[in-house]
C-alpha cells in the first residue's frame, strides 16, 4: 500500500505530461531482466488479493489514464489513432505517441472483467473497475472490439439483474443500488462516447441489455430511474448510426415507448426523473417517429403540452419541443400541427414572464416550431399569430441584445412560414425594429437578425421598398444618431440589404439616386457618410459593372471624397471603395492599386484601408478564391513594408496577415524573405512582418502551413530595435494563445532564452523637465509582454517550459513596478497549483520582494489611490499564503520566518483577515 501511494504521488506530479509512465521501462522485480512500464506494472497488479490494495491500484491507474486523455486533449501528447500511418507521421514529427490499443486496452478490459465476474469480489473493486472502463471509453478505440463490448455488457447485465438472481441475492450488499447506478453510467458513456463502432454496440446492446435497462426505469430509487432514462436517450441515435433494420427500429421503439410513457405521464415524481423522461421522449420521437403509431405520437405530444403548462417542468418541456421541432423540419412523417396552436399560445404567454432564461428558451422554441408548419394551408388560429408577434415586438430592445436577436429571428421565421402575416409583422415588429436600427449598441447577432428580417419583409412584400427606405433614412433624424459612426454604419447595412432584396428593376434606380446624393462638400456630413457606406455595401453584394456608368461614377466620387476636409467622410469612402471592389472586381481593384502607386501620406493610408477592407470582405465570401490576384496585390504591399508612416505599415501588416490566411503558399515565402531583409529600412520591414504574422495567427491561418516558417519569424526576438522585439513577443503570445503547436517544438531552444532575457531587461532613462526629472523605462512593455507569454504558456503548453530556470526571473519580477508585480502574482498562483516543487525550492528568493510589497507605505494617498495600495498589499499577502500552504515549504527557513513576522504584525492583521475571508 505504501508503494501504490508513492506511485499515486508520481502520477499526480506528472499529470500534465504522463507520457513517461507509459513509455519508460523499469525492472519488474529486483535482479530480474524482465522490464515493464509504470502503467504495465499497475495493470499486472489488478490481481492483488487484498481488496483495499486492489482498489487503490485500480484507482491509481484510472487517474493515470484520465490524466493521459487530458494531456492528449491539451496537445502535450498524442494517443494512437486507428490509422497506423497517422501515428508514424506524428512520431516522425517529434510528437510523443502513446499507444493504448496494442496490449494495454485488452489487458485493462480483461483485468476489469475478472473483478466484475468475481462472486466473492467486493463492491468497491467492482465500482473501481467500472470507473476505469468509463475512463477507457474516452481514449481512441474505447473498450475495444465487439467481443470485448459484448463481454462488458454481459457483466453489466449481471449487476442489473442482481435482485432477480437467486444465487446472487445472498450478496445483495455487493450488488447495491449504487453499483447498479455506476453500471448504467458506464453503459451511457459507452453509447455516447463515439469511440466504438456503432454496429458493434447496437448488436450487443439490443439482445443483452435493452430489456434490463427498460426494467430499471421501473425501479424505486430515483437516481437509477434517471440514469436508465439517460441511457434510453442515447439508444435511438445508436440505431441510426448502427444502420438498424426497420424491424429492429420498430421493436426498439415499442420497448422504449412502453418504458418512457408511464414515467412521462406520472405527476408525483422527482424533478430529475421528469426531466430525463422528457429528454428520452424527445430522442424517441425525433429519431424513431416512423416506428411509432399515430396514437403513440399523439400521446407523447399531449403529455408534452401538459408538462409545458407546469411551472416546474416547462423549461425542460420547451427544450423537448425544440428538439422535436428540429426533427420535424427535416422529416415529413412527423406532423406537429395537432398541437401547434396550443404550443405556440403557451410559448407566447411565457414571453411575458420576467425570467430571462425562460424567455430565451421560449423564443428558441417558437423560432423552431413555426418553421415546422407545412406549406399547405392548415387549420391555424390566425389570431394566434397576432398575439405571438405582438409579444415578440414588445421585447425587441437594445437593453438585452441576445433576447432581441432571438425575437427578431423568431419574427423572421413566422414571416417565412406564413407570408400572410406580413401586415402583422409590419404593425407589431417593424416599429421596434426601426427604433433598434438607430441604437449605437446594435451589433453582431442582433444586427444580423435585423438585416434578415428587413430582407424577408422586402422580399415577401410585407412592406414596399420605397416606404421602408424612407423609414430607415428617417432614423437619421433621431436624437443623438448623427454623431454616432456605429448608427450610420448599421443604417447603411439595413438600407443596402433591402435594396439588394428589392426587384432588380428598382436596383439601378436606387444606386443612381444614392450616387447623385453623395456630395463630399455637403455640410450634412452624416448623410454623406450614410450614402457612401450604402453604395459600398450595395456594391459588395451586386455586380455594379453590369450597370452602365455606375462603377465609373462611384470610383470618381470615392477618390474625390479622399480630398474632403472631413475625416469621417474620408474613412467612409475608404470602406465603401474596398467593399464595392468585392462585388465588381474588375473596375475597382485595378484603379485602387494604380492609385496606390502615386500616393503618399494620408491618402496612401486610406487606400490601404480600402485594400484591407476588400481582403477582409473577400474572406467572408463563400467559395472565394483570390489566388489569381495575389501577383497584383503583392507589389504595393512589399514596397510599403518599410514605409516611414507607422499607420501605413500597420495597414500593410493587416493586409498581408489576411492574405496569408487566404493564400498561405504564396504569402508566407514572401514574409520569410522580408524577415531576413538587411536593407536600410530593415527595422520597419521586420516590424511589419511581425505584425503580419500576428494578424495571420489571430485570423486562424492553417498551423501546418505556418509551422515551417516560425523559426525564421522567431528570430525577430533577437533584433536590437525595441519596437521589433515587442512585436515579436506579441506574435509569440498570439501563437501560444491560438495555436500552441506552432512554438512548442522551438520553445526551449529559440523562445525561452529570449523570453528570460527580455523579462529582466531594464532600460531606464531620465528626462529633465525643468523643475523635476521624470524616469522612463523603455523596456517596461517588453517585460509585460514576456511575462504574458509565460503566463499563457502555463495554460496552453506547460510541458514546453523549464519552470526551475524561470524562478530567478520570477523573483526579479516580484520586485518590479506595480503592473509587473501583479502579473507575477498571478503567475505564482498558477505555478502553486501545477508546479509546486520548483516554487518551494525558490521560495527564499521571493522574501525580499514580497516583504517590500506587503509593507508598502500609504503616504498621503487618499480615495482610489489608497484603495489601490491596499489591493496591492492584499495581492502580496495572497501570494505569501498560497506559497505557505505548499508541501515541503517548512524547509524554506527564510520564507517561513517572513510568514511568521507578517502573521504576528498588527498592521497586517486586518488585511490577512480580509484575504482569508475571500
Amino acid at each position: 500500500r505504501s508503494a501504490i501511494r508513492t506511485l499515486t504521488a508520481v502520477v499526480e506530479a506528472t499529470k500534465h505530461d504522463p507520457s513517461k509512465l507509459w513509455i519508460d521501462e523499469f525492472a519488474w522485480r529486483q535482479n530480474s531482466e524482465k522490464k515493464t512500464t509504470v502503467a504495465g506494472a499497475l495493470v499486472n497488479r489488478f490481481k492483488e488479493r487484498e481488496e483495499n490494495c486492489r482498489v487503490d491500484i485500480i484507482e491509481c491507474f484510472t487517474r493515470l489514464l484520465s490524466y493521459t486523455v487530458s494531456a492528449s486533449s491539451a496537445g502535450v501528447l498524442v494517443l494512437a489513432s486507428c490509422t497506423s500511418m497517422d501515428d508514424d507521421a506524428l512520431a516522425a514529427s517529434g510528437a510523443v505517441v502513446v499507444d493504448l490499443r496494442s496490449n494495454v486496452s485488452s489487458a485493462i478490459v480483461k483485468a476489469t472483467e475478472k473483478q466484475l465476474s468475481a462472486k466473492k469480489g467486493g463492491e468497491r473493486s467492482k465500482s473501481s473497475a467500472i470507473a476505469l472502463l468509463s475512463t477507457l471509453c474516452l481514449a481512441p478505440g474505447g473498450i475495444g472490439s465487439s467481443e470485448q463490448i459484448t463481454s462488458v455488457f454481459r457483466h453489466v447485465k449481471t449487476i442489473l439483474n442482481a435482485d432477480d438472481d437467486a444465487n446472487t441475492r445472498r450478496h445483495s450488499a455487493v450488488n447495491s443500488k449504487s453499483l447498479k447506478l455506476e453500471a448504467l453510467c458506464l453503459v451511457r458513456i459507452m453509447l455516447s462516447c463515439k469511440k466504438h463502432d456503432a454496429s458493434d454496440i447496437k448488436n450487443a446492446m439490443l439482445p443483452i441489455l435493452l430489456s434490463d435497462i427498460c426494467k430499471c426505469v421501473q425501479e424505486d430509487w430515483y437516481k437509477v430511474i434517471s440514469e436508465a432514462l439517460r441511457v434510453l436517450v442515447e439508444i435511438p441515435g445508436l440505431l441510426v448510426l448502427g444502420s438498424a433494420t426497420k424491424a429492429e427500429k420498430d421493436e426498439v421503439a415499442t420497448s422504449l415507448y412502453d418504458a418512457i410513457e408511464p414515467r412521462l405521464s406520472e405527476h408525483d415524481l422527482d424533478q430529475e426523473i421528469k426531466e430525463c423522461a422528457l429528454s428520452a421522449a424527445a430522442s424517441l420521437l425525433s429519431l424513431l417517429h416512423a416506428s411509432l403509431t399515430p396514437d403513440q405520437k399523439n400521446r407523447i405530444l399531449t403529455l408534452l403540452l401538459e408538462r409545458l403548462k407546469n411551472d416546474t417542468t416547462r423549461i425542460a418541456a420547451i427544450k423537448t419541443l425544440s428538439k422535436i421541432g428540429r426533427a420535424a423540419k427535416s422529416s415529413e412523417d412527423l406532423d406537429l400541427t395537432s398541437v401547434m396552436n396550443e404550443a405556440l399560445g403557451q410559448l407566447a404567454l411565457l414571453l411575458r414572464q420576467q425570467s430571462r432564461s425562460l424567455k430565451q428558451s421560449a423564443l428558441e422554441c417558437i423560432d423552431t416550431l413555426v418553421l415546422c408548419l407545412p406549406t399547405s394551408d392548415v387549420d391555424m388560429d390566425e389570431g394566434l399569430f397576432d398575439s405571438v408577434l405582438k409579444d415578440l415586438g414588445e421585447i425587441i430592445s437594445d437593453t438585452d441584445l441576445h433576447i432581441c436577436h432571438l425575437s427578431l429571428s423568431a419574427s423572421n421565421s413566422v414571416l417565412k412560414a406564413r407570408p400572410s402575416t406580413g401586415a402583422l409583422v409590419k404593425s407589431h415588429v417593424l416599429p421596434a425594429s426601426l427604433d433598434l436600427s438607430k441604437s449605437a449598441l446594435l451589433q453582431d447577432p442582433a444586427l444580423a437578425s435585423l438585416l434578415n428580417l428587413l430582407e424577408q419583409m422586402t422580399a415577401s412584400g410585407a412592406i414596399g421598398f420605397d416606404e421602408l427606405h424612407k423609414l430607415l433614412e428617417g432614423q437619421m433624424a433621431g436624437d443623438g444618431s448623427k454623431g454616432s459612426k456605429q448608427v450610420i454604419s448599421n443604417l447603411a447595412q439595413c438600407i443596402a440589404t433591402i435594396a439588394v432584396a428589392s426587384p432588380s428593376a428598382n436596383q439601378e434606380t436606387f444606386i443612381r439616386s444614392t450616387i447623385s446624393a453623395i456630395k463630399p462638400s455637403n455640410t450634412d456630413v452624416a448623410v454623406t457618410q450614410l450614402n457612401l457606406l450604402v453604395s459600398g455595401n450595395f456594391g459588395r453584394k451586386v455586380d455594379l459593372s453590369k450597370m452602365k456608368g455606375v462603377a465609373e461614377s462611384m470610383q470618381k466620387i470615392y477618390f474625390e471624397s479622399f480630398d474632403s476636409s472631413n475625416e469621417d467622410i474620408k474613412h467612409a469612402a475608404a470602406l465603401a471603395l474596398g467593399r464595392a471592389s468585392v462585388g465588381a472586381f474588375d473596375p475597382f481593384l485595378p484603379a485602387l492599386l494604380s492609385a496606390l502607386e502615386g500616393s503618399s501620406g494620408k491618402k496612401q493610408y486610406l487606400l490601404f484601408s480600402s485594400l484591407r477592407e476588400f481582403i477582409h470582405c473577400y474572406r467572408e465570401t463563400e467559395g472565394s478564391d483570390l489566388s489569381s490576384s495575389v501577383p497584383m496585390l503583392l507589389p504595393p504591399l512589399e514596397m510599403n513594408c518599410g514605409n516611414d508612416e507607422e499607420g501605413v505599415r500597420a495597414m500593410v501588416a493587416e493586409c498581408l496577415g489576411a492574405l496569408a490566411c487566404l493564400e498561405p503558399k504564396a504569402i508566407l515565402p514572401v514574409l520569410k524573405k522580408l524577415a531576413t531583409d538587411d536593407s536600410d529600412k530593415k527595422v520597419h520591414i521586420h516590424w511589419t512582418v511581425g505584425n503580419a504574422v500576428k494578424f495571420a495567427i489571430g485570423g486562424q491561418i492553417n498551423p501546418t502551413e505556418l509551422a515551417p516558417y516560425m523559426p525564421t519569424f522567431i528570430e525577430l526576438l533577437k533584433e536590437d530595435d525595441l519596437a521589433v522585439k515587442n512585436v515579436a513577443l506579441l506574435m509569440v503570445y498570439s501563437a501560444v494563445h491560438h495555436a500552441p503547436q506552432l512554438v512548442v517544438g522551438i520553445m526551449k531552444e529559440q523562445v525561452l532564452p529570449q523570453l528570460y532575457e527580455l523579462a529582466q531587461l531594464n532600460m531606464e532613462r531620465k528626462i529633465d523637465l525643468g523643475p523635476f526629472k521624470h524616469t522612463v523605462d523603455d523596456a517596461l512593455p517588453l517585460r509585460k509582454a514576456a511575462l504574458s507569454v509565460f503566463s499563457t504558456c502555463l495554460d496552453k503548453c506547460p510541458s514546453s517550459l523549464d519552470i526551475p530556470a524561470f524562478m530567478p526571473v520570477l523573483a526579479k519580477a516580484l520586485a518590479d513596478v506595480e503592473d509587473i508585480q501583479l502579473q507575477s502574482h498571478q503567475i505564482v498562483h498558477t505555478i502553486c497549483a501545477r508546479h509546486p516543487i520548483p516554487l518551494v525550492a525558490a521560495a527564499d528568493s521571493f522574501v525580499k520582494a514580497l516583504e517590500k510589497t506587503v509593507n508598502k507605505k500609504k503616504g498621503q494617498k487618499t480615495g482610489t489611490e489608497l484603495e489601490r495600495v491596499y489591493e496591492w498589499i492584499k495581492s502580496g499577502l495572497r501570494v505569501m499564503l498560497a506559497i505557505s500552504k505548499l508541501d515541503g515549504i517548512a524547509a524554506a527557513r527564510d520564507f517561513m520566518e517572513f510568514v511568521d513576522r507578517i502573521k504576528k504584525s498588527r498592521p497586517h492583521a486586518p488585511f490577512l483577515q480580509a484575504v482569508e475571508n475571500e
Side-chain angles (χ1 to χ4, degrees):
R1 295 194 73 179
S2 298
I4 192 59
R5 286 172 182 169
T6 306
L7 276 180
T8 303
V10 171
V11 170
E12 281 291 331
T14 58
K15 64 182 179 181
H16 294 293
D17 183 9
S19 56
K20 291 183 178 180
L21 303 183
W22 295 93
I23 297 171
D24 292 354
E25 293 187 334
F26 305 92
W28 174 234
R29 297 185 188 279
Q30 194 173 7
N31 300 323
S32 173
E33 294 182 359
K34 183 180 178 183
K35 291 188 174 183
T36 187
T37 61
V38 172
L42 288 169
V43 174
N44 288 336
R45 292 306 302 161
F46 281 6
K47 58 190 177 184
E48 171 65 42
R49 294 179 184 177
E50 206 279 319
E51 185 177 19
N52 290 328
C53 280
R54 184 169 62 243
V55 169
D56 287 346
I57 291 168
I58 297 173
E59 288 179 350
C60 178
F61 185 82
T62 304
R63 191 173 299 185
L64 170 60
L65 185 60
S66 175
Y67 290 152
T68 305
V69 173
S70 299
S72 174
S73 302
V76 176
L77 53 84
V78 178
L79 288 175
S81 62
C82 298
T83 311
S84 59
M85 189 181 298
D86 295 342
D87 300 337
D88 294 340
L90 288 167
S93 68
V96 179
V97 179
V98 175
D99 187 2
L100 300 180
R101 303 163 306 166
S102 54
N103 298 315
V104 181
S105 290
S106 57
I108 293 171
V109 175
K110 189 175 180 181
T112 51
E113 285 177 350
K114 286 183 179 179
Q115 305 304 320
L116 294 174
S117 61
K119 293 184 178 180
K120 295 184 180 180
E123 181 183 348
R124 289 184 62 210
S125 296
K126 294 188 177 183
S127 176
S128 300
I130 291 172
L132 176 54
L133 288 173
S134 300
T135 306
L136 184 60
C137 288
L138 305 178
I143 283 177
S145 63
S146 58
E147 292 81 6
Q148 290 164 321
I149 292 170
T150 303
S151 177
V152 170
F153 278 170
R154 286 201 176 103
H155 290 301
V156 170
K157 181 182 180 71
T158 302
I159 294 172
L160 297 182
N161 284 335
D163 295 338
D164 302 328
D165 191 343
N167 293 326
T168 57
R169 195 172 297 159
R170 289 170 297 174
H171 306 290
S172 57
V174 175
N175 296 290
S176 67
K177 292 180 179 179
S178 61
L179 193 61
K180 189 177 290 190
L181 176 64
E182 289 168 2
L184 287 169
C185 288
L186 170 62
V187 174
R188 176 176 54 81
I189 292 170
M190 289 177 68
L191 266 58
S192 62
C193 69
K194 313 299 182 189
K195 303 292 184 183
H196 307 99
D197 184 271
S199 298
D200 293 342
I201 292 279
K202 181 206 71 174
N203 294 335
M205 161 67 71
L206 299 187
I208 297 174
L209 270 186
L210 181 60
S211 59
D212 297 296
I213 293 171
C214 291
K215 286 179 184 176
C216 287
V217 178
Q218 309 305 322
E219 288 273 347
D220 296 328
W221 192 29
Y222 77 98
K223 286 194 174 182
V224 169
I225 301 171
S226 302
E227 194 58 43
L229 287 167
R230 290 191 187 99
V231 175
L232 297 187
V233 169
E234 304 294 336
I235 291 176
L238 175 69
L239 293 181
V240 174
L241 291 174
S243 304
T245 62
K246 187 177 187 306
E248 287 177 329
K249 289 182 179 179
D250 292 346
E251 183 183 352
V252 171
T254 303
S255 298
L256 296 185
Y257 177 82
D258 292 341
I260 295 167
E261 191 273 338
R263 291 303 183 185
L264 194 61
S265 59
E266 287 182 48
H267 292 281
D268 189 17
L269 286 174
D270 185 84
Q271 178 71 12
E272 189 177 354
I273 297 176
K274 292 178 182 178
E275 292 180 359
C276 290
L278 285 167
S279 299
S283 180
L284 173 62
L285 201 54
S286 299
L287 298 172
L288 297 181
H289 52 82
S291 299
L292 294 172
T293 65
D295 290 341
Q296 288 174 331
K297 286 188 274 192
N298 288 332
R299 174 62 175 163
I300 291 176
L301 291 173
T302 303
L303 291 173
L304 280 179
L305 285 178
E306 286 184 20
R307 292 287 179 246
L308 185 62
K309 297 173 186 176
N310 189 296
D311 290 351
T312 59
T313 56
R314 59 189 177 190
I315 288 185
I318 289 171
K319 292 178 180 177
T320 301
L321 272 174
S322 297
K323 184 172 181 179
I324 295 171
R326 286 192 291 273
K329 277 198 293 185
S330 57
S331 174
E332 297 180 357
D333 298 336
L334 187 54
D335 185 9
L336 303 182
T337 51
S338 61
V339 296
M340 191 65 74
N341 278 325
E342 195 171 354
L344 287 177
Q346 287 295 322
L347 292 168
L349 290 175
L350 296 178
L351 297 180
R352 302 172 191 174
Q353 300 287 334
Q354 292 298 315
S355 169
R356 185 177 184 275
S357 60
L358 185 60
K359 279 184 186 178
Q360 182 175 327
S361 300
L363 285 167
E364 290 170 349
C365 191
I366 291 172
D367 196 356
T368 303
L369 286 183
V370 293
L371 292 176
C372 300
L373 293 172
T375 52
S376 59
D377 194 23
V378 294
D379 184 20
M380 288 293 295
D381 182 3
E382 292 301 324
L384 177 65
F385 288 116
D386 184 45
S387 172
V388 170
L389 289 169
K390 187 176 180 181
D391 289 328
L392 289 172
E394 289 175 353
I395 58 176
I396 294 175
S397 167
D398 61 0
T399 54
D400 189 332
L401 285 180
H402 186 63
I403 293 294
C404 178
H405 147 65
L406 294 174
S407 180
L408 289 166
S409 180
S411 303
N412 188 25
S413 297
V414 171
L415 188 56
K416 278 184 183 176
R418 280 286 184 276
S420 59
T421 59
L424 296 175
V425 174
K426 181 181 175 181
S427 61
H428 294 317
V429 180
L430 184 59
S433 302
L434 292 172
D435 287 339
L436 182 68
S437 68
K438 63 183 179 183
S439 169
L441 302 175
L442 179 61
Q443 57 186 319
D444 300 331
L447 175 59
S449 295
L450 176 61
L451 295 176
N452 291 335
L453 176 63
L454 295 176
E455 181 181 12
Q456 185 64 31
M457 289 184 71
T458 307
S460 64
I463 186 172
F465 166 71
D466 292 332
E467 182 184 355
L468 186 54
H469 184 199
K470 287 179 182 177
L471 289 171
L472 287 168
E473 283 189 328
Q475 304 307 309
M476 286 290 293
D479 293 339
S481 64
K482 288 192 176 184
S484 171
K485 292 181 184 178
Q486 185 66 36
V487 171
I488 295 171
S489 174
N490 292 342
L491 286 172
Q493 290 189 63
C494 293
I495 294 171
T497 298
I498 64 170
V500 172
S502 66
S504 55
N506 296 341
Q507 291 180 357
E508 187 169 346
T509 306
F510 162 76
I511 193 61
R512 289 187 186 279
S513 65
T514 302
I515 293 170
S516 63
I518 300 174
K519 296 175 182 175
S521 58
N522 193 343
T523 53
D524 195 339
V525 174
V527 172
T528 304
Q529 278 183 263
L530 178 67
N531 287 321
L532 282 167
L533 292 172
V534 167
S535 66
N537 290 327
F538 182 82
R540 180 180 174 181
K541 298 177 181 178
V542 176
D543 188 354
L544 297 175
S545 62
K546 295 179 180 178
M547 300 179 185
K548 188 176 179 181
V550 170
E552 291 76 11
S553 301
M554 288 175 65
Q555 271 184 46
K556 183 180 177 184
I557 288 172
Y558 292 154
F559 288 126
E560 285 177 359
S561 299
F562 287 160
D563 298 323
S564 171
S565 59
N566 187 280
E567 291 297 320
D568 290 337
I569 290 177
K570 291 179 182 179
H571 182 64
L575 294 178
L577 175 58
R579 291 170 187 172
S581 301
V582 176
F585 191 87
D586 294 331
F588 285 104
L589 190 60
L592 192 162
L593 296 174
S594 61
L596 271 172
E597 292 178 6
S599 63
S600 62
K602 182 65 177 177
K603 189 172 183 180
Q604 192 177 39
Y605 174 84
L606 291 169
L607 289 166
F608 275 118
S609 297
S610 298
L611 187 58
R612 178 200 62 177
E613 189 69 13
F614 163 73
I615 297 170
H616 281 310
C617 292
Y618 211 86
R619 280 191 68 193
E620 295 173 6
T621 306
E622 290 185 13
S624 57
D625 181 15
L626 206 58
S627 57
S628 59
S629 304
V630 169
M632 187 167 48
L633 296 172
L634 266 180
L637 292 172
E638 284 188 77
M639 190 184 305
N640 286 281
C641 281
N643 197 295
D644 293 333
E645 292 287 337
E646 184 177 334
V648 172
R649 294 201 308 276
M651 284 295 166
V652 170
E654 282 200 58
C655 291
L656 286 169
L659 273 178
C661 295
L662 282 170
E663 302 294 335
K665 288 182 171 61
I667 303 300
L668 291 175
V670 175
L671 290 176
K672 180 179 179 180
K673 177 185 172 186
L674 292 171
T676 55
D677 184 272
D678 201 25
S679 64
D680 295 339
K681 293 191 174 183
K682 69 175 184 178
V683 171
H684 289 341
I685 292 172
H686 293 172
W687 183 91
T688 305
V689 170
N691 267 313
V693 176
K694 181 187 74 173
F695 287 128
I697 295 169
Q700 308 297 316
I701 189 173
N702 187 350
T704 55
E705 298 277 3
L706 179 57
Y709 299 91
M710 280 305 291
T712 302
F713 299 139
I714 294 295
E715 290 297 311
L716 295 176
L717 287 169
K718 297 179 181 178
E719 290 286 332
D720 295 330
D721 187 80
L722 295 183
V724 177
K725 284 180 182 288
N726 193 38
V727 164
L729 280 172
L730 295 176
M731 175 188 70
V732 173
Y733 175 83
S734 184
V736 172
H737 182 73
H738 293 288
Q741 62 268 40
L742 289 173
V743 291
V744 166
I746 54 176
M747 182 68 76
K748 290 185 179 177
E749 293 181 3
Q750 284 187 269
V751 179
L752 288 183
Q754 296 299 319
L755 207 61
Y756 296 155
E757 180 184 336
L758 295 175
Q760 301 176 82
L761 186 63
N762 198 310
M763 298 183 69
E764 290 187 353
R765 55 190 173 89
K766 294 192 176 182
I767 302 175
D768 192 346
L769 298 175
F772 57 90
K773 291 184 178 180
H774 180 59
T775 302
V776 176
D777 188 351
D778 294 323
L780 180 59
L782 297 177
R783 298 203 298 278
K784 284 184 181 179
L787 286 174
S788 296
V789 171
F790 188 85
S791 177
T792 310
C793 284
L794 284 172
D795 289 328
K796 300 288 185 177
C797 49
S799 62
S800 63
L801 297 175
D802 185 354
I803 304 294
F806 183 70
M807 290 298 105
V809 179
L810 185 58
K812 190 171 182 180
L814 287 168
D816 210 321
V817 297
E818 181 178 348
D819 290 346
I820 302 291
Q821 281 189 36
L822 295 176
Q823 270 186 293
S824 305
H825 292 170
Q826 292 298 324
I827 291 173
V828 170
H829 285 298
T830 305
I831 296 178
C832 279
R834 301 182 179 181
H835 307 280
I837 296 173
L839 201 62
V840 169
D844 285 343
S845 63
F846 299 162
V847 171
K848 188 175 179 181
L850 288 175
E851 192 152 27
K852 185 178 178 182
T853 299
V854 299
N855 289 316
K856 185 171 177 62
K857 304 297 181 185
K858 65 180 181 179
Q860 301 298 318
K861 294 181 175 66
T862 57
T864 55
E865 288 187 355
L866 183 61
E867 289 179 13
R868 188 177 175 88
V869 172
Y870 288 163
E871 285 301 321
W872 196 358
I873 293 171
K874 286 196 283 187
S875 180
L877 290 173
R878 288 188 197 100
V879 170
M880 179 196 78
L881 292 173
I883 298 175
S884 68
K885 294 174 183 177
L886 298 178
D887 291 338
I889 194 63
R893 287 185 57 192
D894 291 348
F895 186 84
M896 292 311 297
E897 288 174 2
F898 159 65
V899 173
D900 289 340
R901 285 198 304 274
I902 297 302
K903 287 186 174 181
K904 291 175 182 177
S905 169
R906 292 184 63 186
H908 291 101
F911 295 111
L912 283 168
Q913 187 64 41
V915 169
E916 289 174 354
N917 291 338
E918 289 175 349

